[in-house]
Amino acid sequence: MPPADAGPSAVGDQVQLTDPKGRHYTFTLEEGKNFHTHKGSFPHDELIGAPEGSVVRTTGNVAYLALRPLLPDYVLSMPRGAAVVYPKDAGRSWPSPTSSPARASWRPG
């Protein structure tokens, strides 16, 4: 399997669009689908086979820069759910004064 950043975009690749204000939109390319925003839409087929760094325009004539997402961008765009934290568990996740490396050599008395 070739690396994700080799060659033109293909069906199933993750793509990150950047709008003129710097907002990011991450999605998976699918044949026959459209990307929609309040500024217009464009078909995924325009990006399939296009090189990284291509600029696509929506029906509202807004330009988006298409790149492959970096790892931090990919992680931030992953879906995440709410987690219930009970009070007895919250104490374990709270850092203690002896948990930092600077405090490792400190000893009382």
Side-chain angles (χ1 to χ4, degrees), residues 38-90:
H38 64 286
K39 299 283 187 178
S41 66
F42 69 89
H44 287 204
D45 297 334
E46 283 187 27
L47 285 176
I48 295 172
E52 185 173 4
S54 297
V55 176
V56 292
R57 291 196 172 272
T58 64
T59 54
N61 203 28
V62 176
Y64 286 85
L65 176 65
L67 299 169
R68 288 187 172 86
L70 299 173
L71 181 62
D73 299 322
Y74 177 74
V75 170
L76 288 176
S77 69
M78 290 172 60
R80 48 190 180 270
V84 177
V85 179
Y86 295 101
K88 65 180 183 177
D89 298 328

